[in-house]
Amino acid sequence: MTRAGTVAAFDRTTRRSGTIERLLADALALVDGFSTQSPVYDGLPSSLVDADFVPAAELNVRLFFQFWLDGNEPSEDDTRPLVERAVSLVHDGMPLDEVLRNYRTAVDFLWSQLPTTASPTGRAALAEIGRPLSEYLSLMTARIAVACVEDARRRPWDELERRRGIVDALLAGRDPVDWMGDPAVPVADAFVVTVIRPGDPGPGTLTDLRHRIHDLPGAFLRRDISGWTALIPIDPGGDSTAVIDQLSARLAPGFARETPPLLWIGVSPAPTRAAIPAALAEARVVAELGRCPTRSDIICRRQDLRMEYAVAVDASVRTELASVLEPLADQPVLAETLGVFFANECNQNAAARLLFVHRNTITYRLARIAELTGYDPQRPTEAMTLSAARTAQLLESKGFSA
């Protein structure tokens, strides 16, 4: 090939690479923008969409586009988080054919949406996607199927089914009499109910967490659309604090050191089996209270969030309190000042230092807040209302849902 031909071929390759990289960015934006509230995603089956959907989909997209670009199959290490996730879904009762069907459904969804945002060059490139996409799908479904078959050979599936029946009964407030009597699956009389809500986990994060909790003797887990629910036994004569400390220690490697946290765990003790449904409701609320304000602590307990809990559990109270701060909606400087003022225990000097203004400026702004809202942040009782209103506003803005 002549030098001119070589340069032209290089230019074509470069342009093709740039086009595919732009399509990759569009695909990642489509995944990152996922919301169950958006009609764009209405066609996705509910069993496909769980707390690990976004990081798993992002990894799938990146691996496929890399395969499309260079033609090299992703290694087994590359795809391990996706394969392990599929195996864990089968553990939780999802049939293997549904796991694989959901995989194809997600792929069909992405490639049906990409042409709507792609440039003319990108749409032309998508016409070439058939063969590499088919090869990638075949590779992934084969690896998932092989892993699930191998796992089935190693695991006693009747025990897994029994464990699922027990946890479903306990969480619903029923005595799991139909599943009792097997010494291989002991059922404690008291538990710490644990609800896991993810923040921005990477691929495989929730699977790793599941394994860590599953290894606790006598623990039960159930997957739900938002994360995981676990029942961790309290030994006879023991107390819930020791169990929670044990849970914290088990999660410390790889989770506790992340800032912000990868996830939040709401915990609530159930001293009897009959108390489990009420403890589950409480654990769900405190887990959400960790996620919505993005607390730095992974473990969330009601006793550490008494005021926030009181605001959170009553939707009408939450809405009413959030309305207190509506006069500050177009006053971002005042809203920021109020937040910094409360975060520094109502210390005006500290707030002034953090905001790089004179103390008198803080005093003026607080007076304006009192004038606009009717509540003076320098009066303790009125400051309590404003603080509760800020909590309510934050929860509403973060889509709090118990």
Side-chain angles (χ1 to χ4, degrees):
M1 181 181 294
T2 65
R3 183 179 183 280
T6 302
V7 170
F10 177 80
D11 287 344
R12 285 195 300 272
T13 301
T14 301
R15 284 196 299 273
R16 178 178 178 276
S17 297
T19 299
I20 293 177
E21 286 169 358
R22 285 190 292 276
L23 288 171
L24 168 60
D26 289 344
L28 290 174
L30 191 61
V31 171
D32 289 341
F34 170 77
S35 168
T36 55
Q37 307 303 315
S38 172
V40 173
Y41 305 91
D42 282 348
L44 295 177
S46 59
S47 60
L48 169 66
V49 181
D50 64 4
D52 215 10
F53 169 74
V54 170
E58 286 181 347
L59 178 57
N60 255 317
V61 167
R62 291 185 185 280
L63 290 177
F64 167 71
F65 272 88
Q66 189 59 47
F67 172 61
W68 190 12
L69 274 169
D70 60 27
N72 296 322
E73 292 184 353
S75 69
E76 292 191 358
D77 283 343
D78 291 334
T79 60
R80 182 169 288 112
L82 302 172
V83 173
E84 289 181 347
R85 176 174 184 265
V87 172
S88 73
L89 293 175
V90 175
H91 285 177
D92 296 324
M94 185 181 292
L96 176 57
D97 63 339
E98 185 174 356
V99 172
L100 298 179
R101 183 169 63 252
N102 282 348
Y103 209 97
R104 294 192 299 272
T105 299
V107 170
D108 289 343
F109 166 77
L110 281 172
W111 306 133
S112 69
Q113 294 297 317
L114 272 181
T116 64
T117 57
S119 65
T121 306
R123 287 193 290 273
L126 286 172
E128 307 171 11
I129 206 172
R131 181 171 180 174
L133 184 57
S134 176
E135 291 175 352
Y136 180 81
L137 264 178
S138 298
L139 173 72
M140 289 304 305
T141 54
R143 286 183 180 176
I144 289 170
V146 168
C148 288
V149 170
E150 290 178 349
D151 188 75
R153 290 173 180 163
R154 294 193 302 267
R155 291 181 180 270
W157 285 92
D158 55 339
E159 178 184 324
L160 290 173
E161 182 64 24
R162 190 174 296 111
R163 295 181 72 87
R164 282 195 290 269
I166 289 171
V167 71
D168 285 346
L170 291 172
L171 291 174
R174 303 191 307 270
D175 196 350
V177 290
D178 294 340
W179 305 95
M180 300 288 282
D182 186 347
V185 188
V187 182
D189 293 320
F191 294 89
V192 170
V193 181
T194 305
V195 172
I196 298 100
R197 290 291 177 262
D200 187 19
T205 298
L206 295 184
T207 301
D208 182 19
L209 174 65
R210 179 188 185 279
H211 291 162
R212 295 188 193 201
I213 295 180
H214 186 273
D215 290 341
L216 292 168
F220 296 94
L221 289 101
R222 186 177 72 178
R223 168 182 169 267
D224 60 55
I225 191 170
S226 300
W228 294 91
T229 300
L231 299 178
I232 302 176
I234 302 173
D235 294 332
D239 62 71
S240 60
T241 301
V243 174
I244 294 170
D245 289 344
Q246 181 186 17
L247 178 64
S248 298
R250 184 168 288 270
L251 296 179
F255 291 103
R257 63 172 176 263
E258 295 290 337
T259 304
L262 297 174
L263 47 88
W264 292 270
I265 300 179
V267 293
S268 179
T272 65
R273 293 178 189 169
I276 289 175
L280 173 61
E282 180 176 295
R284 282 174 171 165
V285 172
V286 293
E288 278 287 282
L289 286 175
R291 182 187 69 83
C292 289
T294 317
R295 282 169 53 86
S296 58
D297 297 328
I298 288 180
I299 302 295
C300 306
R301 296 175 290 187
R302 181 175 179 176
Q303 56 264 42
D304 300 326
L305 297 159
R306 294 187 190 278
M307 187 273 286
E308 293 88 344
Y309 190 91
V311 172
V313 293
D314 190 322
S316 61
V317 170
R318 202 165 62 237
T319 302
E320 181 181 351
L321 280 170
S323 69
V324 168
L325 295 179
E326 285 181 359
L328 303 185
D330 58 351
Q331 299 286 338
V333 172
L334 296 183
E336 180 188 25
T337 300
L338 184 63
V340 173
F341 180 65
F342 282 147
N344 287 274
E345 301 180 346
C346 301
N347 186 315
Q348 293 193 38
N349 289 327
R353 283 195 299 272
L354 287 171
L355 294 173
F356 302 101
V357 297
H358 193 276
R359 184 183 186 281
N360 290 346
T361 302
I362 299 296
T363 302
Y364 168 77
R365 291 178 182 176
L366 295 177
R368 281 288 294 154
I369 291 169
E371 180 182 337
L372 291 171
T373 65
Y375 294 90
D376 188 344
Q378 298 182 81
R379 294 177 178 270
T381 55
E382 297 180 28
M384 290 173 60
T385 299
L386 287 171
S387 180
R390 288 191 71 252
T391 297
Q393 187 183 62
L394 181 59
L395 294 179
E396 294 285 291
S397 68
K398 293 284 188 176
F400 173 85
S401 172

